[in-house]
Structure formats: C-alpha cells, structure tokens
RNA sequence: GUCCCCGUCGUCUAGCCCGGCCUAGGACACCGCCCUUUCACGGCGAUAACACGGGUUCAAAUCCCGUCGGGGACGCCA
C-alpha cells in the first residue's frame, strides 16, 4: 500500500469514501466522478476508501458491487484503503481526544434516546447527566464494565462560532451551541480483557470519527461530497481541531458540497424507496456506455457553461471547476414505464454514434451473444454501422438487428409485404422480379442500387413502393436499416431464401 | 420543533458575484415541417421559465427585505 505521507506536498489529495451497505448509488457515483475530475484536473491523487465501520449493515457482496460499479465507470484511483483495517488508529485518536478532556463517556443505553426524534420538540444536544459527570465516577463505571459511547464535548455557552468556506456554497457559519454532542465511539459490550484503563477499546468508531481521523492520516486536502453533509461539516471541524496535535502537519481540508440528486417528486434518492433505478448497474445492464453515463451525471449539478451537452471525458476533465457547480438540487427523471432519464438516453445515443465501428462492434458482441446469437466478429463489424444511428441503448441492438443473425425470421404479418397504396398482386410481382434480379446481380451496394431501381421503374413503381415488399421479406418488418446495405450483409443466399418464403404468405391475401 | 441550504421553460441548465448587451440563451422531451426506399440520423421551426410581494435605481432575473414553496441535517447510519 502506498505511503500517503510520502506523497508530494501541495498536491491535492481527494477521496471517495463509500460505505458498503448496498449497490453503488447514482448519487455516490456522481460524487466519485466529481472527486475524480477535480483530482485529475489538478494533478492530484485519488484515494478510494471503503468506509465499513458499520458492522451491522456492511456486506462483502456490497463491497464487490461497489467495485464492479466503479470499474465499469472506468475512472481509476491511486490508493485504496479499508476503514475496518485502521481501527487501531481511530481508537488511538479517540483516546487522545478523551485524554484531552474534549470528549466524555455517555452511559445512556444505546437507542434510548431514539424516539425523542419523532416528537417535534427542540433539538437534542446531549443526554442529561453525562456531560457533567465527574471524571472519577466516569472512570469507575467504565472500569466496572458498564458500556458507554464516547461523545464529543461541544463547547457551550462560549458563543463560539464555527466557520468554513465551502467551495460551492460559500461562507458557512454555525453557533457551536447548536451542535449536539455527537458520538465518536459506539458503546461496546463489557471489555474482553482489562487491556485499556479507559475501557475505550471495544467501541467501534462512528462515521464522524473514523472519517476525520482517516482524512487527517491520509492527508486529504479536498473533501467533495453530497450536500447532506453540509451541516455535519461543523462537527468535522471540531474533530479536526481536536486532532491537531496527533497530526501536526495536517491542514483542515477544503470542503465543497454538491447539490443532491433527487427523484422526480423532489425527495432524496433512496435505494429503499426508488429501487434499482438508483443503482448504476441498472444503467450498465441496460446498455449505457460508461462515458455517456458519466457525461450525464456530470451535467446534473455542474455546467461547462459553453452550451455543450455532449462531452467526452477528457473534455469534461479539462473544463471541470468547482465554480461550475450549482447549488440547487437536480432532478433525475424516471417513471415506472421508463426508468431512464430521457437526456441520459439521448446522450447515450450520441456517444454510440460517436464510437468508431470497431469499438461499437466490441460493445455489441456480448450483447448479441447474450441474446443467443452466434455473432461472429466479421458479421458484427458489418452490422454495427447499419444500426449505429438506430439504437439508443446497446441492448436495443438485439431488436434492431435480430434478422441478421437468426436462421428463421420470426412470424410477421404478411400484410406488411404489401406496399402503400398497393395490392397483394403487386407485392407478388415485386418479389418475383426481385428474385430474378438478385439471382444475377453482383451483391454490392451500387450494383444492387442500380438493378433494383431499374426493376422498379420497369414495373412502373416508385422506388419506395418496390422496396417495401423486399425489405419486409428479408427483414421481417417495415422498419429496418437501408435496403441495399442490408441485402449485402445478408448475402444472396439468405435474401433469396427469405423472399421465397414470403411469396406463399401472400397467396392467402390475394 | 431547531438549525442550514435552495428556488430561471416539464427536466438539465446559461445569465446573477461586477444591475442596462435579456423582447431571458442552449439542451432533452413534446409538436410541426424538410430531407428520405422504411426506420433512424440530420436540418429548420413552434410551444414553454426569471416562485410571490415590497423596496433601492433612470433601469432588476441580477442588489436589499419579507412571504411562500422545496430540500437537507439534527442516530451509538453513513
């Protein structure tokens, strides 16, 4: 593992610190992306830290799913840590804070104060009797094995004002008197041994403590995170201050809070309430290109201010600044029928169109295989340019190109074979003529173009009218890629066979 | 309840800091037209917003105050 302390000074150090309590959330993904952009834009270091101090809720499956999601995005990181492997550091810090008198033990049974939240009375600041408890009594009860949580002793009655300059929201201030005595360590059961005179050792650090200690230890210089942390920042300021002598060279990070991503009804996106639409694997599996998805997410709460929407990653990186970040929450659209924001879909289509054929083919191959098609590389390469402008999501390719791969066309309505303002007899005539023409014409675009147009003219038909029966016979549907290219990819044999199969269908309609 | 944040077309946003160039720009979606062998792409066009009320000013989307609305935090979750 790289030694953080050896990293060059003055170079920004960013971190993304997800907690593994489920799949990677789109909001988290955006936070990661913005951190990454800032780091890469400013020659900084990107740290990935798994914040897994909540043993109750964390799962290894969730860690894997976060890695899957991050890897799919294709944005790399430079250092990687797990908070659960750094508990000793957190405990040492807690002990130091306690020793300095900046924290106290709270023996109130866990969860006891929870329902005070549901009532609508004033804000809770601390549990009665705990903050004031004499040290001797506190020590005695701890030594007796009574469980306790460790709480920060927030300065009160001094009129102390906490302040910081947020990179997005500007100058922020709050009275310390309004900050509650938040927990640093959770209560533990009876200590397994008497190893600590303080009896602190079994308590798991809370998010606030672990996060700040690690930020200090990893020398994080910029914290970019969701706006839901804006008011927590005052607590973090207090912790950083208390940690000053443990990390003498550490400078309090610069903070920048991001507007929240919200559901169409304006509520915060949640895994529980909104389901799979907030998981980035849903986008991946539907056939979004990661660069398109990143593009979309960047436009939620940030603007390049140049009227551009379709932006390749390197361009976003070069353009990214905190000044471009908005303050108002951004709605991400989805409904039960259509789980994807139309703008995300449009951007994806744009990115698909921008892909070189070889790359598109590489993306398409697994999609076709998954649909059960054989999909040899050569064929996918030939098909890709024909559907590139016709699909919005990669998975659309299955629908758009199935007839290139299947042996037998799925059943279709024979009436489709009959052109506009035409009758069955006309369709029959067209197909029979086409059989003769296709049997002798060279199978390349220009030759087919010339021959088929000529045939249409000789039958006294407009090209459009003559082409429809052929298109339907060969593709099994009216909407398809341009005819000549399609015929070429299909090949003479398949085309003749399918036209031969179409003819009898027409008989019943005559 | 307490504290904090936010409020420009349906949505994402430009403009706001440093009032006039804003009869408010772009994009998505929707609608219409054109191109065209179908579909799509592309082109053109239409509809659509400064939350409200006061104030300051010759002039306010832009500055100030208030109201209303929305969101967030207030856990031994993160």
């Amino acid at each position: 593992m790289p030694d953080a302390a050896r990293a060059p000074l003055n170079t920004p150090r960013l971190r993304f610190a997800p907690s593994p309590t489920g799949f990677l959330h789109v909001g988290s993904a955006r936070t990661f992306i913005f951190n990454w952009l800032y780091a890469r834009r400013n020659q900084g270091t990107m740290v990935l830290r798994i914040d897994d101090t909540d043993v109750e809720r964390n799962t290894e499956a969730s860690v894997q799913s976060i890695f899957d999601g991050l890897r799919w995005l294709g944005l790399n990181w430079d250092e990687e840590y797990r908070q659960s492997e750094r508990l000793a550091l957190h405990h040492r810090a807690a002990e130091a804070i306690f020793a300095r008198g900046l924290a106290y033990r709270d023996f109130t049974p866990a969860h006891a104060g929870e329902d005070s939240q549901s009532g609508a009375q004033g804000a809770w600041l601390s549990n009665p009797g705990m903050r004031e408890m004499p040290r001797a009594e506190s020590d005695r009860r701890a030594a007796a094995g009574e469980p306790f949580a460790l709480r920060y002793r927030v300065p009160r009655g001094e009129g102390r004002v906490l302040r910081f300059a947020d990179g997005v929201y500007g100058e922020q201030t709050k009275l310390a008197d309004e900050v509650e005595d938040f927990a640093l360590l959770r209560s533990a059961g009876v200590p397994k041994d008497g190893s600590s005179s303080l009896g602190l050792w079994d308590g798991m650090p809370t998010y606030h403590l672990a996060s700040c200690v690690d930020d200090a230890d990893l020398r994080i210089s910029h914290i970019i995170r969701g706006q839901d942390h804006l008011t927590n920042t005052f607590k973090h300021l207090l912790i950083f201050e208390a940690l000053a002598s443990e990390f003498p060279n550490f400078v309090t990070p610069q903070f920048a809070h991001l507007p929240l991503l919200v559901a169409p009804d304006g509520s915060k996106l949640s895994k529980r309430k909104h389901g799979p639409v907030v998981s980035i694997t849903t986008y991946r599996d539907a056939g979004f290109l990661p660069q398109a998805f990143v593009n979309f997410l960047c436009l939620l709460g940030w603007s390049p201010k140049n009227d551009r929407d379709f932006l390749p990653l390197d361009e976003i990186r070069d353009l990214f600044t905190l000044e471009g970040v908005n303050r108002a929450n951004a709605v991400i659209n989805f409904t039960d029928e259509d789980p994807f924001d139309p703008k995300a879909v449009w951007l994806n289509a744009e990115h698909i169109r921008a892909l070189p054929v070889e790359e598109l083919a590489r993306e398409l191959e697994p999609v076709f295989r998954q649909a059960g098609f054989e999909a040899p590389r050569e064929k996918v390469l030939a098909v890709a340019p024909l559907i590139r402008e016709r699909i919005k999501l990669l998975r659309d390719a299955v629908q758009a190109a199935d007839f290139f791969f299947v042996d037998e066309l799925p059943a279709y309505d024979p009436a489709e074979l009959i052109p506009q303002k035409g009758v069955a007899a006309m369709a029959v005539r067209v197909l029979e003529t086409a059989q003769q023409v296709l049997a002798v014409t060279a199978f390349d675009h220009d030759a087919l173009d010339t021959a088929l147009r000529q045939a249409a003219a000789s039958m006294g038909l407009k090209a459009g009218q003559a082409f429809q029966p052929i298109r339907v016979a060969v593709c099994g549907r009216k909407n398809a890629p341009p005819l000549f290219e399609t015929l070429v990819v299909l090949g003479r044999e398949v085309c003749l066979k399918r036209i031969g199969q179409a003819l009898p269908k027409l008989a019943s309609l005559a």
Side-chain angles (χ1 to χ4, degrees), chain A residues 265-329:
Chain A
D265 69 356
S267 67
K268 189 176 165 179
L269 286 183
S270 91
K271 302 174 185 181
R272 195 173 50 82
K273 189 171 162 196
H274 302 109
V277 290
V278 307
S279 169
I280 76 164
T281 52
T282 305
Y283 289 80
R284 178 197 64 194
D285 298 342
F288 275 86
L289 255 18
Q291 61 269 39
F293 187 65
V294 168
N295 189 167
F296 170 66
L297 250 23
C298 286
L299 261 15
L300 258 22
W302 173 80
S303 166
K305 299 185 191 291
N306 59 184
D307 283 351
R308 303 260 323 273
D309 293 279
F310 170 74
L311 297 161
L313 184 62
D314 51 358
E315 207 162 326
I316 297 176
R317 188 234 293 130
D318 293 343
L319 254 23
F320 187 80
T321 62
L322 256 16
E323 288 70 49
V325 178
N326 291 321
R327 286 181 276 273
N329 291 169

Side-chain angles (χ1 to χ4, degrees), chain A residues 343-476:
Chain A
K343 190 140 187 179
V345 174
W346 172 76
L347 277 170
N348 199 56
E350 290 282 297
H351 280 271
I352 285 176
R353 277 173 226 135
L355 237 36
V357 185
E358 305 74 42
E359 275 179 52
L360 179 58
R362 206 175 314 135
E363 298 281 356
L364 253 20
E365 268 181 87
V367 175
F368 288 141
R369 297 249 161 74
Q370 207 176 4
F373 303 153
E374 225 173 280
R377 176 139 194 85
E378 285 306 301
K379 192 157 193 183
V380 177
L381 230 27
V383 166
L386 297 187
I387 59 170
R388 183 162 45 178
E389 264 125 42
R390 272 159 267 263
I391 58 175
K392 293 179 190 304
L393 303 174
L394 293 176
R395 71 172 177 197
D396 296 342
V398 175
Q399 286 287 325
D402 59 347
F403 57 86
F404 284 116
F405 298 101
V406 295
D407 285 336
E408 292 300 321
L409 247 24
Y412 58 89
D413 180 3
E416 307 244 287
L417 288 162
I418 301 168
Q420 287 270 300
K421 298 178 198 158
V423 294
M426 184 193 282
V428 172
R429 201 151 58 92
V430 169
L431 291 182
E432 283 171 352
T433 308
Q435 278 182 315
Q436 293 162 21
V437 172
L438 294 183
V440 298
T441 308
F443 255 60
D444 64 71
H445 177 282
D446 291 350
L448 253 13
D449 187 326
T450 313
L452 256 11
R453 276 183 204 280
Q454 241 164 42
S458 71
M459 286 184 284
L461 294 175
K462 285 189 194 162
Q465 278 183 306
F467 294 168
Q468 179 174 329
I470 305 174
R471 176 179 299 110
V472 174
V474 147
C475 301

